[in-house]
């Protein structure tokens, strides 16, 4: 029986495992998936988690519940050894090796930062549900504190200043949802007015949402600025020391919330391996999704998703000719990889990955959206595009169980309104108990009493 090891339980890894469960015959192979978490997070919904439109747990697919035939190992991949066909993994202080016959690498990407002073200590990303929940709690908590402070207090201005750095889809949608949440909170905080808020989206390029045609990127900016937000183009963050964001145009913004979405990079585990990588640290794969270096194919190793660089045969990819790091590519690459892996086990022919871009859709807060077809010939804006955004991603969410929960959240939001309850104490769950817990007296003090 062949041993198939999948590194990474994200969108691509989950679909590889699910596909293998459907395609493999009994006794043909044993499949194991390794990830530091036991769930798959559907990242396109993180922005809506940050605004409270979706419950955070509902965008997470529990691996053990939905992968019935796959061994799930909760651990971190530390060392990939292609020569001896094993991977060293670690869980807390326990380190062990997992052997494989076929290795599938779907490790995804992490938030890319630069050595900008203060960013590592004061900013937060938007790649995990924990980060999205923190952002939501922080906005709600800051409103609550600022509401009790007098107008003109510098602490109040800092609390009501929210900054997102990076105007791609993650940053653009995340910023729009933060703006939307702020408008909801204005209705319940009578001492705070729209003019008290400072909402800034900072982008180094000359436009946001670069996947859209330039004139339609401006549509997104206009909608945000009409709601009191500010979009700064061709602007860099030079420092964020002590939470004071200093930009290349000379402005300074003291803030308690900096959301950094200025790019991603492949999982750093790959950099410590001997596998072939491109200049950006991405795993090099052929169009049949086998890993290939300068000396040829690396036998028994496959890759797909955001951690890899694969030529886009449709011609509609990134400037370097590779597939864009999107969910639609990750899903379809995973499906092709499953076919090719099964063909390898059975002595069949391999096929190349090919997919014409289906287009892109962005949600920019309640009833505001943009859709662009693959060749940008059809553009839809406004409420219809917003519905298309929810429809596309709602049905792309794996498993019907999770789909129903997501659509349930949306329905409840439309009928009852957005829930703006904060759960900020989750960061220090023991604080309330420890504050009132009675501790034993020190031994010396006890002896003196006696």
């Amino acid at each position: 029986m062949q041993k198939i090891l999948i590194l990474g339980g994200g969108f691509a890894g989950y679909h590889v495992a699910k596909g293998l469960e459907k395609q493999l015959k009994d006794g043909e192979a044993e499949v194991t998936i390794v990830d530091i978490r036991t769930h798959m997070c559907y990242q396109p919904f993180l922005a809506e988690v940050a605004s409270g439109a979706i419950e955070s747990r509902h965008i997470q697919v529990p691996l053990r519940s939905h992968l019935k035939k796959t061994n799930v190992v909760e651990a971190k991949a530390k060392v990939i050894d292609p020569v001896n066909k094993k991977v060293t993994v670690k869980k807390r202080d326990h380190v062990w090796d997992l052997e494989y016959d076929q290795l599938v690498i779907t490790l995804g990407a992490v938030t890319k930062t630069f050595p900008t002073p203060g960013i590592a200590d004061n900013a937060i990303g938007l790649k995990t549900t924990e980060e999205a929940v923190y952002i939501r709690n922080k906005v709600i908590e800051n409103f609550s504190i600022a509401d009790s402070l007098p107008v003109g207090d510098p602490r109040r201005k800092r609390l009501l200043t929210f900054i997102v750095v990076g105007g791609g889809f993650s940053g653009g949608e995340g910023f729009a949802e933060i703006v939307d949440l702020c408008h909801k909170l204005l209705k319940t905080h009578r001492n705070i007015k729209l003019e008290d808020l400072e909402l800034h989206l900072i982008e180094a390029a000359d436009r946001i949402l670069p996947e859209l045609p330039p004139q339609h990127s401006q549509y997104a900016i206009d909608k945000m600025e009409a709601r009191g937000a500010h979009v700064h183009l061709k602007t860099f963050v030079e420092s964020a020391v002590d939470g004071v964001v200093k930009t290349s145009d000379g402005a300074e913004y003291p803030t308690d919330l900096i959301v950094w979405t200025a790019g991603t990079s492949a999982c750093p585990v790959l950099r410590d391996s001997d596998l072939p990588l491109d200049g950006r640290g991405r795993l090099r794969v052929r169009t049949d999704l086998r890993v290939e270096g300068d000396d040829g194919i690396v036998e028994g190793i496959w890759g797909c998703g955001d951690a890899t660089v694969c030529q886009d045969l449709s011609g509609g990819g990134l400037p370097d000719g590779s597939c864009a790091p999107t969910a639609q590519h990750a899903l379809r690459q995973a499906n092709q990889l499953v076919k090719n892996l099964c063909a390898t086990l059975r002595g069949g022919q391999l096929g190349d990955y090919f997919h014409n871009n289906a287009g892109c859709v962005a949600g920019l807060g309640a009833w505001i959206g943009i859709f662009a077809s693959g060749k940008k010939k059809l553009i839809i804006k406004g409420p219809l595009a917003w519905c298309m955004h929810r429809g596309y991603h709602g049905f792309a969410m794996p498993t019907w169980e999770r789909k129903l929960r997501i659509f349930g959240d949306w329905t409840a939001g439309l009928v009852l309104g957005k829930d703006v309850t904060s759960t900020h104490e989750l960061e220090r769950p023991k604080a309330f108990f420890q504050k009132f817990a009675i501790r034993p007296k020190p031994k010396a003090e006890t002896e003196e009493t006696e």
Side-chain angles (χ1 to χ4, degrees):
M1 183 182 293
Q2 289 274 301
K3 292 182 179 179
I4 301 175
L5 181 60
I6 304 170
L7 298 186
F11 196 65
Y14 169 83
H15 280 287
V16 169
K18 195 67 177 176
L20 289 172
E21 287 192 348
K22 294 178 180 179
Q23 297 296 326
L24 291 174
K25 300 174 183 177
D26 290 341
E28 193 170 15
E30 177 186 63
V31 181
T32 300
I33 189 168
V34 178
D35 197 277
I36 57 175
R37 296 179 175 86
T38 57
H39 63 260
M40 184 280 291
C41 171
Y42 188 67
Q43 293 182 2
F45 279 149
L46 286 172
E48 293 200 50
V49 170
S51 71
I54 298 176
E55 162 63 39
S56 60
R57 294 172 300 167
H58 295 170
I59 71 167
Q60 299 178 165
V61 178
L63 298 179
R64 289 192 173 95
S65 298
H66 296 280
L67 297 176
K68 303 293 187 181
K69 302 177 183 179
T70 302
N71 300 317
V72 178
V73 175
E74 185 182 5
K76 180 180 181 180
K78 297 293 291 182
V79 180
I80 301 172
D81 183 355
V83 176
N84 297 302
K85 289 199 168 185
K86 65 180 182 180
V87 175
T88 301
V89 299
K90 181 179 181 180
K91 175 67 174 178
R92 296 189 178 93
D93 295 329
H94 182 39
V95 180
W96 71 103
D97 293 333
L98 294 174
E99 297 179 346
Y100 67 84
D101 296 299
Q102 302 289 335
L103 177 65
V104 180
I105 298 177
T106 56
L107 288 168
V110 299
T111 302
K112 180 181 180 180
T113 58
F114 307 98
T116 304
I119 287 298
D121 296 323
N122 298 295
I124 189 170
L126 188 54
K127 291 286 287 181
T128 68
T129 51
E130 293 85 357
E131 290 174 325
V133 170
Y134 174 88
I135 291 167
R136 176 176 177 269
N137 286 337
K138 192 64 176 175
V139 173
I140 297 172
E141 182 185 6
N142 281 17
F143 260 78
S144 180
I145 298 172
D147 191 56
S148 62
L149 296 175
V151 176
D153 190 317
R155 294 175 297 170
R156 197 172 190 268
K157 181 178 180 181
R158 183 184 184 111
L159 288 166
L160 296 176
T161 298
F162 306 111
I163 294 178
V164 176
V165 183
F169 262 74
S170 179
E173 291 186 322
F175 182 68
E177 291 291 341
I178 291 173
V179 173
D180 195 60
L181 176 58
C182 288
H183 276 262
K184 294 293 188 296
L185 291 169
L186 285 173
K187 297 178 181 179
T188 56
H189 293 75
R190 298 177 182 177
N191 296 326
I192 300 177
K193 309 299 180 185
L194 179 59
E195 54 267 25
D196 296 328
L197 300 179
E198 290 218 22
L199 306 165
H200 300 279
L201 175 61
I202 300 173
E203 169 56 44
D206 59 356
R207 62 190 180 106
I208 64 171
L209 305 176
E211 295 84 355
L212 298 173
Q215 65 272 28
H216 300 293
S217 294
Q218 186 61 45
Y219 167 82
I221 294 175
D222 293 342
K223 286 295 183 181
M224 292 175 185
E225 295 191 337
R227 307 192 75 193
H230 305 280
V231 179
H232 308 266
L233 301 177
K234 299 181 181 179
T235 305
F236 299 86
V237 173
E238 296 184 339
S239 173
V241 176
D242 297 326
V244 179
V245 174
K246 298 180 180 180
T247 58
S248 56
D249 58 5
E252 293 187 7
Y253 308 103
T255 178
D256 275 356
L257 181 63
I258 306 168
V259 183
W260 184 275
T261 64
T264 60
S265 59
C267 181
V269 173
L270 294 173
R271 299 193 203 112
D272 299 327
S273 72
D274 294 326
L275 297 174
L277 309 178
D278 74 344
R280 295 170 55 186
R282 298 176 297 177
L283 185 67
R284 291 163 53 187
V285 300
R286 294 163 49 96
T287 51
D288 60 14
L289 303 173
R290 289 182 292 175
V291 173
E292 182 180 41
D294 294 336
D295 298 327
I297 295 170
V298 181
E299 291 297 334
I301 303 185
W302 311 72
C304 68
D306 294 357
T308 65
V309 53
C310 176
Q311 182 185 358
D312 190 337
L313 295 177
S314 72
L318 297 175
D320 64 0
S322 66
C323 296
T326 62
Q328 62 176 289
H329 277 303
L331 169 60
R332 290 165 177 82
Q333 285 180 355
N335 292 338
Q336 185 62 54
L337 193 154
V338 168
K339 293 178 182 177
N340 286 350
L341 187 49
C342 290
T344 297
L345 298 180
R346 299 162 188 166
Q349 295 293 318
L350 305 185
D352 288 329
Y353 171 70
F354 179 90
H355 170 64
N356 280 313
N357 184 9
C360 58
V361 61
L364 302 172
W367 304 106
I368 305 173
I370 308 177
F371 165 79
S373 63
K375 295 184 178 180
K376 310 295 190 294
K377 292 183 178 180
L378 175 62
I379 305 292
I380 299 174
K381 296 180 285 189
L384 177 57
W386 179 77
C387 292
M388 293 172 68
H389 170 266
R390 286 196 160 184
Y392 173 80
H393 286 296
F395 284 105
M397 182 74 193
T399 82
W400 277 103
E401 176 253 341
R402 278 321 192 223
K403 287 180 175 67
L404 291 174
R405 293 183 188 274
I406 295 289
F407 281 103
D409 289 342
W410 286 334
T411 302
L414 290 173
V415 176
L416 303 174
K418 187 170 291 185
D419 188 344
V420 291
T421 304
S422 170
T423 54
H424 63 274
E425 289 300 333
L426 287 174
E427 298 169 46
R428 298 184 299 117
K430 295 181 180 180
F432 183 79
F433 175 82
Q434 292 176 343
K435 180 178 180 180
F436 301 103
I438 300 175
R439 292 174 171 80
K441 294 181 180 179
K443 186 176 181 180
E445 183 178 336
T446 304
E447 291 175 350
E448 289 177 6
T449 304
E450 293 175 352

